[in-house]
Amino acid sequence: MSQKQFKKNDFAPNDEEQYQIEFKISEIGEGIDLIVQRLNEKGEYEMVQAPVKRFNDRIFIVWDQPFDGRLIFDE
């Protein structure tokens, strides 16, 4: 399993009044086995059920507010 770290400032607001972070399919694959984890106040990662949207060659992770975290995926 591979992972990509991301920060709060990597998120961008979308048209649905939520925030999203964008990845290229070439970076993380098709996104079938994605695990999204949020970094909590204790410095530990916790899994979240974040919606995943696909458009063309991009995958978007959507959440109601930006957070520090990581994306775990199969290569």
Side-chain angles (χ1 to χ4, degrees), residues 30-74:
E30 292 293 322
I32 295 170
D33 294 326
L34 295 179
I35 299 170
V36 180
Q37 295 183 327
R38 176 176 49 192
L39 191 62
N40 65 24
E41 303 82 33
K42 297 178 186 176
E44 301 169 342
Y45 287 99
E46 56 189 16
M47 191 164 37
V48 294
Q49 296 286 332
V52 176
K53 298 181 180 184
R54 292 169 179 77
F55 183 73
N56 293 334
D57 65 339
R58 310 270 187 214
I59 294 178
F60 300 91
I61 308 298
V62 182
W63 201 251
D64 60 347
Q65 60 187 353
F67 61 91
D68 293 334
R70 65 183 175 186
L71 179 66
I72 298 175
F73 57 95
D74 285 333

